[in-house]
Amino acid sequence: MPEPTTPADQQQGTDQRLAKGARSRASIARHAADVASVEGLTGVSIGKLAADLGLSKSGIATLFGSKESLQLAAVKTAREVFIDQVITPSLAEPSGMPRLRALVNHWFGQVAEPAFPGGCFRVATLAEFDSRPGPVRDAIAADHRDFLAFLSKEIRLAQEQGHLAERNADIIAFELDAVISAAHTARQMDNEWGVATARAIVDNLLG
């Protein structure tokens, strides 16, 4: 005769199912981001991910509900990866120029060894969705704005220490983003001269 279940047992079972669902969702979202870096977010679908991962379409649909939700999960995952690999390590450095240089170095590290198979997720998806209104475009645009705001703040901290003259911090942030984005594209096109040129331009910008 089976042992009767207690409320604590039931709660533990619920917690385990939730944890398993969260792990599955994170794994699927990461693969969606990998696919999007190569084929674009429009190439992300429940059917493709089910085939790639050996899962059922219904299982993925239960976790995400729609293609748009999958795309949004991919954007969120890519943001988290960028924070983990570029921003968080740079925060270990003192604020100001040391942190700004560390940030740029980790950023270029993603050019040399991209976190995603298709290169920089942000570069690929900004170009893909710049003229496609809707929640996915809004999420991509918000992520980009957030990063530029963070970058501008770090530039201002460096300026408070007497670096980068008195140029507009937002303009410097825009320039850094544009040049390093170009470096990502050059790397994907096997244009090492372009990557080296981008690095030289950034070094010149930072003095």
Side-chain angles (χ1 to χ4, degrees):
M1 182 175 181
E3 292 287 331
T5 59
T6 66
D9 292 334
Q10 293 172 349
Q11 182 62 48
Q12 183 180 27
T14 299
D15 290 346
Q16 289 174 344
R17 286 192 297 273
L18 289 174
K20 182 179 179 181
R23 288 193 298 270
S24 296
R25 184 179 174 87
S27 176
I28 293 166
R30 175 59 200 240
H31 185 66
D34 286 343
V35 171
S37 74
V38 177
E39 301 183 23
L41 279 165
T42 53
V44 172
S45 69
I46 291 174
K48 174 169 179 51
L49 267 61
D52 287 352
L53 298 172
L55 301 173
S56 68
K57 291 182 182 179
S58 61
I60 294 178
T62 297
L63 289 171
F64 293 94
S66 67
K67 175 175 179 173
E68 185 176 271
S69 294
L70 260 178
Q71 292 171 327
L72 289 169
V75 173
K76 182 175 182 289
T77 294
R79 175 188 174 97
E80 292 169 350
V81 169
F82 187 82
I83 289 171
D84 287 346
Q85 299 194 9
V86 176
I87 294 178
T88 299
S90 73
L91 297 179
E93 298 297 326
S95 64
M97 206 62 188
R99 183 177 296 170
L100 182 59
R101 289 191 183 279
L103 177 65
V104 166
N105 287 336
H106 286 298
W107 200 357
F108 266 108
Q110 286 292 292
V111 175
E113 297 183 19
F116 298 99
C120 180
F121 182 94
R122 182 182 288 119
V123 169
T125 56
L126 278 170
E128 181 187 11
F129 271 79
D130 59 1
S131 59
R132 295 172 181 261
V136 177
R137 179 185 184 275
D138 293 345
I140 293 168
D143 173 62
H144 193 224
R145 284 195 302 271
D146 288 348
F147 176 62
L148 287 178
F150 169 79
L151 188 55
S152 294
K153 183 191 75 171
E154 295 302 322
I155 291 167
R156 290 188 185 95
L157 289 173
Q159 289 177 321
E160 289 172 5
Q161 298 175 358
H163 302 285
L164 303 176
E166 295 184 2
R167 295 182 58 210
N168 185 295
D170 293 334
I171 292 176
I172 298 174
F174 182 88
E175 291 172 339
L176 287 173
D177 183 59
V179 173
I180 299 178
S181 294
H184 278 289
T185 300
R187 190 266 181 192
Q188 290 303 109
M189 298 298 291
D190 298 320
N191 181 357
E192 294 304 321
W193 177 87
V195 175
T197 299
R199 182 80 229 204
I201 292 171
V202 168
D203 289 344
N204 186 57
L205 279 172
L206 297 182

